[in-house]
Amino acid sequence: MKFNMVHFTKPKLVFSAIIIVILVSCKTQKLYLNTVEGQRLEINNTINANPNIEAFIAPYRDRIERDLDSVLAYAVDTYSKSDGELNTAIGNLMADIVLSEGNKIFNKRTGENIDVVILNYGGIRAEIPKGPVSARTAYNVMPFENEIVVAGLKGEKINEAINYLVSRKSANPIAGLNIVVDKDYNLVSAKINNKAIDYNKTYYFATSDYLYNRGDNMTFFQPNEELHEINYKIRNAMIDYFKKTDTINPVIDNRFIVK
């Protein structure tokens, strides 16, 4: 009879004991992943838009569209990366923009100047069409979030950079560097800022963070004498340049030629 009284008058003790047993059991039991199941969810034009969501985002979307399409400059012709053999007007423009716009920040922070810019041919994703130039133009040409970085190179690293450009035989955008090759693509001459290269001097090479990190097999940026991250997107540099330039008229020149 005493046993029954304990059992019914102290149910909390019994419940607590049960919980403890369960917890101990769970801790000692090992769980293993058995199967993973999933299914493909198609996102296409068969999905009906939610009118409430559409109404909510409409003013924001309209504002962004207006900003993207606002005319910043005017292009006198259509510029494509297929227009030249070893340098193109659009590639020269992009490299020159990185040099001019990026150097403002770099010089202010370090007191030094960017000597050379090297970008990649594949990074140009659209042409600049003749007519109005807008922020959308910059997004089309450079849709990536690539930022400008500056590496200090000297000696053999400079040779590696030049040899890479010569071996690729393509219009990788460059600025500050002049390369001449013969018809068999043997190097004839290379200069930085129209002067003979001093291989004991540190030159500042600007590029994208993607290429710096060995994108397109550009391994020559590392190791280096120093690295500067200026937190400035190439696309933003293009937009800033367009804002202050009335007419866009880049040309193919002699920065990389066959002689």
Side-chain angles (χ1 to χ4, degrees):
M1 196 68 175
K2 185 178 180 181
F3 173 78
N4 288 339
M5 287 296 292
V6 172
H7 181 74
F8 290 107
T9 58
K10 298 184 178 180
K12 290 184 179 180
L13 292 176
V14 177
F15 180 74
S16 298
I18 294 173
I19 293 299
I20 292 171
V21 171
I22 292 173
L23 290 175
V24 171
S25 176
C26 289
K27 287 184 177 180
T28 58
Q29 182 180 3
K30 293 184 178 180
L31 302 177
Y32 297 94
L33 180 65
N34 188 18
T35 59
V36 176
E37 297 181 355
Q39 65 183 86
R40 181 175 178 177
L41 299 177
E42 290 284 349
I43 300 177
N44 51 43
N45 56 11
T46 63
I47 299 176
N48 295 323
N50 185 306
N52 294 328
I53 295 177
E54 284 292 308
F56 178 79
I57 67 174
Y60 303 99
R61 180 175 56 210
D62 293 344
R63 174 63 183 271
I64 291 173
E65 293 292 332
R66 286 196 302 270
D67 289 345
L68 285 174
D69 292 326
S70 177
V71 177
L72 304 177
Y74 182 85
V76 300
D77 203 350
T78 295
Y79 302 102
S80 167
K81 69 178 183 179
S82 62
D83 290 343
E85 181 182 0
L86 294 178
N87 74 89
T88 64
I90 189 173
N92 294 346
L93 175 65
M94 289 187 65
D96 289 345
I97 288 174
V98 170
L99 180 60
S100 64
E101 302 306 306
N103 192 60
K104 294 174 184 176
I105 300 173
F106 180 68
N107 177 262
K108 186 175 181 180
R109 293 183 182 178
T110 68
E112 303 288 349
N113 291 305
I114 294 172
D115 296 294
V116 177
V117 175
I118 298 179
L119 302 175
N120 61 323
Y121 179 83
I124 303 173
R125 289 307 176 112
E127 65 183 19
I128 296 178
K130 180 179 179 179
V133 175
S134 64
R136 190 184 298 278
T137 306
Y139 273 85
N140 290 338
V141 175
M142 174 54 67
F144 312 109
E145 299 298 305
N146 292 344
E147 295 192 350
I148 300 170
V149 299
V150 183
L153 304 182
K154 70 177 183 179
E156 187 56 33
K157 284 298 176 181
I158 298 173
N159 272 335
E160 288 180 25
I162 294 169
N163 291 337
Y164 173 92
L165 294 169
V166 171
S167 67
R168 286 300 172 115
K169 303 177 183 179
S170 64
N172 286 303
I174 60 174
L177 182 62
N178 295 94
I179 300 174
V180 179
V181 296
D182 63 22
K183 59 183 178 61
D184 296 318
Y185 281 86
N186 297 309
L187 181 66
V188 174
S189 67
K191 296 181 179 180
I192 293 178
N193 297 323
N194 293 316
K195 296 179 181 179
I197 299 172
D198 180 356
Y199 290 95
N200 293 314
K201 175 184 176 181
T202 297
Y203 291 94
Y204 293 100
F205 282 63
T207 189
S208 70
D209 53 352
Y210 165 72
L211 297 177
Y212 175 80
N213 289 303
R214 299 181 171 85
D216 273 14
N217 293 315
M218 291 193 186
T219 59
F220 48 82
F221 290 116
Q222 300 185 48
N224 50 63
E225 304 303 311
E226 51 191 280
L227 172 67
H228 301 269
E229 298 177 355
I230 64 175
N231 303 313
Y232 191 27
K233 289 182 173 59
I234 294 176
R235 181 176 59 241
N236 290 348
M238 294 175 66
I239 293 172
D240 288 343
Y241 176 83
F242 292 156
K243 285 179 179 179
K244 65 181 184 182
T245 306
D246 179 75
T247 304
I248 307 298
N249 188 21
V251 297
I252 297 172
D253 57 24
N254 65 345
R255 66 187 70 188
F256 191 2
I257 60 171
V258 176
K259 191 170 183 180

